[in-house]
């Protein structure tokens, strides 16, 4: 019998998980492996979580072996194969991004410590809660046993949004759009890059309306999350759940031959990006391993856009230095995060 996967999920009573958990229980991203769900929430949300667990049980999913409920990451992360860090304090009206970062930083520091102590040494961690890129850095820096390659950041929602814009503009199926990339931060500085896109296997570059792409599409993709909130009054939920499923499926099973996708991964200086940031790159996946695509040509416009999102992440990192334990990082082969950061994996 195939060994079941233990999947821990934070923020499990939230709106994203209302869609996500049922699809995990059905085995969608994991190649029909049996699943054990360990659902984590704040103590005050446990009643809602119990009702959600009852619904999961009532679906009688063939692959769902068990559901356990936890009000702390210390118990919820025990022996997990995957940890999905979905929960985070939401951004309220008038709140600046840096305020959101500071409010969530201690949450992710605590979760990182719990992952390092209680999760399987081989755990794969997907960070979803915003500001996701810097939350991933905080979680990893506090997870004593984990390599940065074990953490990725959800950029697939931005990737899917950009693919949707392109497919609607060109009148083609989203499935025919390949080699799209989103660079940088899951924020309004992100850079959706259509310069390498293929449509049905053929390069798009000459057929791309550059004025529309630079003046309309990029900005609308960057601000799509805010636009959804303005229209429906709530943050993206079902589309975020779909992005998590897509991300996990590619990470575990692999990306399509000839295509690449966007994931936030740890920078070692690729494409001139500062080391020590969780930065979205175009990647390929095989057998659970993520590789940054090498050798893409970047024009001056692309380089400028990448530098802008890099600078935002550098400012975020500077704001949370007190939560990045330097001694722990040094023991794991990393130098000071506020200087150059070298990896000794």
């Amino acid at each position: 019998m195939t060994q079941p996967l233990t999947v821990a999920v934070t923020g499990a009573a939230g709106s994203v998980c209302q869609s996500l958990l049922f699809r995990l229980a059905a085995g969608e991203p994991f190649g029909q492996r049996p699943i054990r769900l360990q659902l984590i929430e704040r103590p005050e949300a446990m009643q809602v979580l119990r009702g959600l667990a009852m619904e999961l049980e009532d679906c009688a999913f063939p692959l769902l072996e068990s559901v356990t409920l936890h009000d702390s990451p210390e118990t919820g992360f025990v022996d997990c194969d995957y940890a999905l860090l979905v929960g985070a304090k939401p951004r309220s009206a008038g709140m600046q991004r840096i305020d959101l970062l500071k409010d969530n930083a201690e949450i992710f520091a605590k979760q990182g410590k719990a992952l390092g102590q209680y999760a399987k040494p081989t755990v794969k961690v997907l960070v979803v809660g915003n500001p996701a890129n810097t939350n991933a850095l905080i979680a990893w820096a506090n997870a004593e046993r984990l390599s940065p390659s074990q953490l990725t950041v959800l950029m697939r929602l931005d990737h899917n949004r950009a693919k949707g814009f392109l497919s609607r503009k060109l009148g083609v199926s989203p499935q025919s759009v390949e080699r799209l990339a989103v660079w940088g931060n899951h924020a309004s500085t992100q850079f959706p890059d259509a310069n390498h896109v293929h449509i049905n296997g053929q390069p798009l570059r000459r057929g791309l309306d550059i004025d529309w792409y630079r003046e309309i599409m990029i900005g609308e993709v960057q601000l799509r999350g805010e636009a959804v909130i303005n229209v429906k009054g709530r943050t993206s939920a079902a589309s975020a759940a779909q992005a998590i499923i897509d991300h996990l499926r590619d990470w575990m099973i692999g990306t399509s031959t000839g295509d690449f996708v966007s994931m936030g991964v740890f920078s070692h200086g690729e494409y001139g990006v500062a080391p020590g940031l969780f930065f979205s790159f175009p990647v390929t996946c095989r057998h659970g391993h993520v590789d940054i695509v090498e050798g893409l040509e970047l024009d001056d416009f692309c380089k400028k856009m990448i530098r802008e999102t890099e600078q935002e992440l550098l400012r975020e990192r500077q704001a949370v230095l007190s939560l990045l334990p330097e001694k722990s990082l040094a023991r794991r082969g990393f130098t000071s995060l506020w200087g150059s950061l070298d990896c000794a994996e």
Side-chain angles (χ1 to χ4, degrees):
M1 180 178 291
T2 303
Q3 186 70 19
L5 287 173
T6 299
V7 182
V9 186
T10 71
S15 58
V16 173
C17 288
Q18 296 283 341
S19 296
L20 174 65
L21 294 180
F22 294 89
R23 301 181 67 181
L24 293 176
E28 280 193 45
F30 297 118
Q32 300 299 298
R33 295 260 314 258
I35 299 294
R36 296 170 180 164
L37 288 176
Q38 297 179 176
L39 306 182
I40 306 165
E41 258 298 354
R42 297 163 296 139
E44 59 268 31
M46 292 302 291
Q47 184 71 8
V48 175
L49 187 59
R50 279 190 282 272
L52 189 58
M54 293 169 67
E55 287 197 79
L56 284 165
E57 292 170 350
D58 292 347
C59 289
F61 288 111
L63 295 172
L64 183 59
E65 288 203 353
S66 64
V67 180
T68 59
L69 310 184
H70 307 267
D71 62 7
S72 75
E74 288 79 8
T75 61
F77 289 149
V78 170
D79 291 334
C80 64
D81 297 288
Y82 283 82
L84 313 184
L85 309 189
V86 180
K89 182 176 180 178
R91 186 171 177 173
S92 58
M95 178 182 283
Q96 298 300 310
R97 182 176 176 84
I98 195 65
D99 297 325
L100 180 67
L101 175 63
K102 291 177 180 178
D103 284 351
N104 278 309
E106 291 189 10
I107 295 172
F108 282 82
K110 179 180 179 181
Q111 290 179 355
K113 291 174 184 175
L115 284 166
Q117 291 178 344
Y118 300 106
K120 287 183 179 177
T122 55
V123 65
K124 294 185 185 303
V125 182
L126 173 56
V127 181
V128 178
N130 286 317
N133 299 62
T134 299
N135 285 342
L137 178 63
I138 294 166
W140 163 69
N142 285 275
E144 184 76 29
R145 297 182 299 164
L146 302 191
S147 158
S149 64
Q150 292 176 248
L151 288 85
T152 60
V153 177
L154 185 73
M155 296 296 296
R156 191 56 170 268
L157 179 55
D158 308 297
H159 182 100
N160 287 350
R161 285 167 171 166
K163 182 178 283 194
F165 271 92
L166 268 180
S167 66
R168 291 191 295 275
K169 175 68 173 177
L170 299 172
V172 299
S173 165
Q175 188 175 6
S176 68
V177 180
E178 297 181 328
R179 297 172 61 85
L180 178 74
V182 177
W183 302 80
N185 198 6
H186 178 60
S188 61
T189 62
Q190 66 179 262
F191 171 43
D193 181 2
N195 291 283
H196 317 284
V197 164
H198 286 195
I199 304 294
N200 293 317
Q202 298 300 315
L204 171 65
R205 191 70 178 89
R206 293 183 181 177
L208 179 63
D209 182 339
I210 295 297
D211 291 338
W212 170 83
Y213 165 60
R214 292 188 177 182
E215 296 174 13
I216 296 176
M217 176 184 153
I218 290 175
E220 292 203 9
V221 173
Q222 289 172 332
L223 299 175
R224 184 66 165 185
E226 183 178 335
V228 170
I229 293 173
N230 289 339
V231 171
K232 66 180 275 192
R234 296 187 300 277
T235 190
S236 301
S239 57
Q242 177 65 47
I244 293 169
I245 296 293
D246 291 341
H247 181 115
L248 291 171
R249 182 186 59 244
D250 285 342
W251 195 2
M252 182 171 182
I253 299 175
T255 48
S256 300
T257 302
D259 196 8
F260 48 71
V261 296
S262 307
M263 290 186 182
V265 297
F266 192 81
S267 168
H268 299 273
E270 295 86 352
Y271 291 97
V273 173
L277 300 174
F278 277 88
F279 194 92
S280 183
F281 291 97
V283 305
T284 58
C285 304
R286 187 179 181 187
H287 303 312
H289 185 72
V290 179
D291 289 305
I292 295 173
V293 175
E294 297 180 353
L296 295 178
E297 292 187 10
L298 304 175
D299 61 22
D300 289 342
F301 176 79
C302 294
K303 292 176 182 177
K304 173 179 175 290
M305 297 296 289
I306 290 171
R307 292 289 83 77
E308 288 178 0
T309 194
E310 175 199 38
Q311 289 301 309
E312 181 179 50
L313 281 169
L314 287 170
R315 291 192 295 271
E316 290 185 9
R317 188 174 73 183
Q318 187 66 29
V320 299
L321 286 179
S322 63
L323 290 168
L324 307 178
E326 189 174 1
K327 290 183 180 179
S328 171
L329 292 172
R331 283 196 300 270
R332 292 146 68 188
F334 292 83
T335 60
S336 171
L337 279 169
W338 50 89
S340 113
L341 191 152
D342 301 311
C343 181
E345 288 187 279

